[in-house]
Amino acid sequence: MSSKAADLDAIALSALMSSRICHDLINPVGALSSGLEVLADPGMDEGMKEAAIDLIEKSAGKSVALLKYARLAYGASGGLGAELPLEEARHVLDGIFKWTKASLDWRLAPGQAPKDEVRALLILAYAAADCVPRGGEVVVDGAAGTYTIRVSGARLIVQEDFASALSGDVEDIKAKFTPHYLAGVMARQTGGGVDLVQTEQEMTINLRFFAASSQTEPGVLTAS
């Protein structure tokens, strides 16, 4: 059986997504713990304690941003079939992009959109920021179920696993790229789809949702 025709069941998906969330949070939460240990050490001088406080503040800020992002992008906010405010998605991404080298240019008009459309936009905009580790710009544009996410930068890196997961290939899928797979599935289950166009310094993700009221249900997710 082709890996693109295979199913990723709910148990496998939940395990991979849990690994992804833990991976995102382990560094800032670990830094919080390290900072608290420094503050608790009576032998530390004032300079070290000030550095520890700064580390705690930054780590707490990043942890909160990641949790707010995970809640909206991966969670069940509003229940199945709900619509979510696009401005809330932009606000959550603003918080995430503070911790990346990329800048966000959000061009979507304020309003409501089906939950899965918002979730896919969140996932793919954040994924795009990862593609420009030395800095760049992520532009999110479109309306009414048809969106583009364009990323450009001096050193654009698009891993093969990124494109494979987005297309629905689950063979040897890694936890890091499970959200990409999920975004593609959400689009295809409405009769829409997602495709990626890449040049040397720019990548564009075209995201289409044809049945605006359709939302993913719990259970087996199919790549086709």
Side-chain angles (χ1 to χ4, degrees), residues 27 50 59 78 83 93 122 141 143 147 155 161 170 172 206:
N27 284 338
E50 287 178 8
S59 300
E83 290 192 336
L93 282 175
L122 284 164
D141 205 351
Y147 307 98
R155 184 169 181 251
D161 287 339
V170 298
D172 298 324
N206 299 302

Side-chain angles (χ1 to χ4, degrees), residues 6-54:
D7 296 343
L8 188 61
D9 65 35
I11 293 174
L13 180 62
S14 63
L16 287 164
M17 288 299 298
S18 295
S19 294
R20 167 63 196 253
I21 293 169
C22 290
H23 177 271
D24 286 349
L25 286 169
I26 191 65
N27 284 338
V29 172
L32 273 171
S33 177
S34 297
L36 290 170
E37 287 179 4
V38 171
L39 289 181
D41 187 342
M44 290 296 172
D45 59 32
E46 287 303 313
M48 289 292 292
K49 288 187 176 181
E50 287 178 8
I53 291 172
D54 182 63

Side-chain angles (χ1 to χ4, degrees), residues 127-128 131 158-166 177 180 196 203 205:
C131 295
V158 183
Q159 296 185 47
E160 184 177 343
D161 287 339
F162 179 116
S164 295
L166 199 62
F177 299 101
H180 309 56
L196 186 154
M203 176 189 72
I205 301 171

Side-chain angles (χ1 to χ4, degrees), residues 65-182:
L66 285 166
L67 285 169
K68 287 182 177 179
Y69 170 83
R71 175 180 174 272
L72 199 63
Y74 310 145
S77 301
L80 290 172
E83 290 192 336
L84 294 173
L86 288 166
E87 281 298 284
E88 183 178 357
R90 182 197 61 78
H91 179 72
V92 166
L93 282 175
D94 281 341
I96 282 289
F97 270 66
K98 286 175 60 177
W99 306 101
T100 74
K101 294 293 183 67
S103 62
L104 175 67
D105 183 359
W106 181 271
R107 299 181 182 179
L108 299 181
Q112 302 276 330
K115 179 180 176 181
D116 280 356
E117 293 184 20
V118 175
R119 294 169 70 192
L121 285 169
L122 284 164
I123 289 168
L124 296 178
Y126 187 20
D130 280 344
C131 295
V132 281
R134 292 187 179 177
E137 182 181 49
V138 176
V139 178
V140 181
D141 205 351
T146 303
Y147 307 98
T148 60
I149 297 148
R150 188 171 65 255
V151 57
S152 58
R155 184 169 181 251
L156 178 69
I157 300 174
V158 183
Q159 296 185 47
E160 184 177 343
D161 287 339
F162 179 116
S164 295
L166 199 62
S167 69
D169 189 341
V170 298
E171 184 177 11
D172 298 324
I173 189 170
K174 299 177 177 63
K176 177 180 179 179
F177 299 101
T178 308
H180 309 56
Y181 165 81
L182 183 60

